[in-house]
């Protein structure tokens, strides 16, 4: 077949139908063997649990072509663990970890010609997801489920380089104090849609959410964890039971400690501290790190010292180191890089 003839350097961050996707069905208390299929359509009952009561969760990771030509993905075991946590909270059956990782490998290998070449700035986005598929009219968990993995080639999240963004402190809450903020449930993202559209209308790139109980501590944005850098070079990340445990953040924390010899603090961050940090950024699968240049807290503007022109030096080094590990330019910690094809 050979590599697809795409303009790899100018791909959008969007969906494109690829050759194969993985599907497995849960019925009568067990998962079937699963299969790869060409069909990208889904047929479910009009009363399916996912449609009536939003019983669904998902994951996101990427496959890359490394410097030496291998196709790899990054820490899929952690995606399997996090999805298991999401399923348990939503009363959904857990798809076994070993099968999850193998399915990721199989679907990437089946779409190997869609994996962008090294140096293009593009990657193959991998989206595992699960939902209740049988009819449910009373408020209860479904009895049947579908686990699927789709892949799509995507361009870099930021066109024209990583530029600092402006965010606002939100008046709305992302999650309830003892709710589902720490799992990757579809309903969390549905709740944030109105607020992100409103933020964009008013010129902000994202909403920065505070803790739902007291509105005193910084938590995360609608789709990413937050990083702070202090004047004395420490990396600080907010700690809370209602924050999604980002795999990118956890990886950056380890990179900071083990590769850059930085001191790292994972602790509650009071919003009054925002003016004291010299660099601020968002982190996640899509962009790795997105720098923040300005935070607007109602009638008060906090200008981050690193400015609105470029990513700050500490976050830049963190980003370069992690992407270097992902792309095979820097030796990875044991178990971080999963080889799919050589």
């Amino acid at each position: 077949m050979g590599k697809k003839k795409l303009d790899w350097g100018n791909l959008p961050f969007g969906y494109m139908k690829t050759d194969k996707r993985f599907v497995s069905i849960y019925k009568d208390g067990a998962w079937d063997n699963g299969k790869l299929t060409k069909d990208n359509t889904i047929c479910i009952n009009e009363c399916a649990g996912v449609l009536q009561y939003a019983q669904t969760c998902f994951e996101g990771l990427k496959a890359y072509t490394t410097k030496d030509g291998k196709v790899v993905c990054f820490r899929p075991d952690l995606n399997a663990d996090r999805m298991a946590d999401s399923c348990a909270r939503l009363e959904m059956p857990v798809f076994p970890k070993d099968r999850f990782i193998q399915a990721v490998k199989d679907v990437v290998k089946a779409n190997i010609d869609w994996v962008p070449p090294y140096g293009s700035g593009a990657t193959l986005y991998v989206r595992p997801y699960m939902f209740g598929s049988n009819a449910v009219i009373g408020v209860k968990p479904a009895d049947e489920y579908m686990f699927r993995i789709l892949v799509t080639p995507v361009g870099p999240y930021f066109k024209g380089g990583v530029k600092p963004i402006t965010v606002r402190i939100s008046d709305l809450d992302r999650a309830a104090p003892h709710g589902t903020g720490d799992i990757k449930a579809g309903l969390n993202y549905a709740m944030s849609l109105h607020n992100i559209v409103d933020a964009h209308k008013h010129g902000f790139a994202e909403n920065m959410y505070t803790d739902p109980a007291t509105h005193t501590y910084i938590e995360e944005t609608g789709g990413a964890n937050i990083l702070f850098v202090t004047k004395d070079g420490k990396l600080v990340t907010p700690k809370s039971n209602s924050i999604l445990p980002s795999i990118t953040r956890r990886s950056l924390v380890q990179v900071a400690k083990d590769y850059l010899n930085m001191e790292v603090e994972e602790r509650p961050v009071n919003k009054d501290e925002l003016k004291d940090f010299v660099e601020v950024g968002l982190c996640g699968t899509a962009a790795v790190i997105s720098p923040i240049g300005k935070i607007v807290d109602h009638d008060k503007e906090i200008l981050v010292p690193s400015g609105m022109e470029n990513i700050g030096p500490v976050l830049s080094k963190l980003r370069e180191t992690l992407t270097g590990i992902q792309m095979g330019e820097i030796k990875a910690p044991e178990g971080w890089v999963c080889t799919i094809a050589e």
Side-chain angles (χ1 to χ4, degrees), residues 142-163:
D143 299 312
E144 298 174 14
Y145 296 85
M146 192 178 296
F147 171 76
R148 299 177 68 102
I149 304 177
L150 66 84
V151 298
T152 182
V154 296
Y157 201 71
F158 298 102
K159 299 294 184 183
V162 182
K163 292 290 185 183

Side-chain angles (χ1 to χ4, degrees), residues 193-208:
L193 293 177
H194 167 73
N195 209 21
I196 191 61
V197 169
D198 185 69
H200 290 166
K201 282 180 182 176
H202 290 89
F204 302 102
E206 254 291 6
N207 292 292
M208 184 178 281

Side-chain angles (χ1 to χ4, degrees), residues 64-68 72-75 118 251-252 254-256 258-260 317-338:
Y64 314 81
T65 302
T66 62
K67 192 174 185 179
D68 58 2
V72 306
C73 59
F74 186 68
R75 309 190 79 177
Y118 172 77
S251 302
L252 287 166
Q254 191 168 334
V255 164
D258 298 345
Y259 285 73
L260 304 182
K317 188 64 178 174
L318 270 171
R319 187 177 189 277
E320 287 170 10
T321 306
L322 185 59
T323 55
I325 289 169
Q326 291 171 334
M327 294 295 178
E329 299 162 348
I330 298 172
K331 183 174 174 55
E334 185 69 29
W336 277 26
V337 175
C338 175

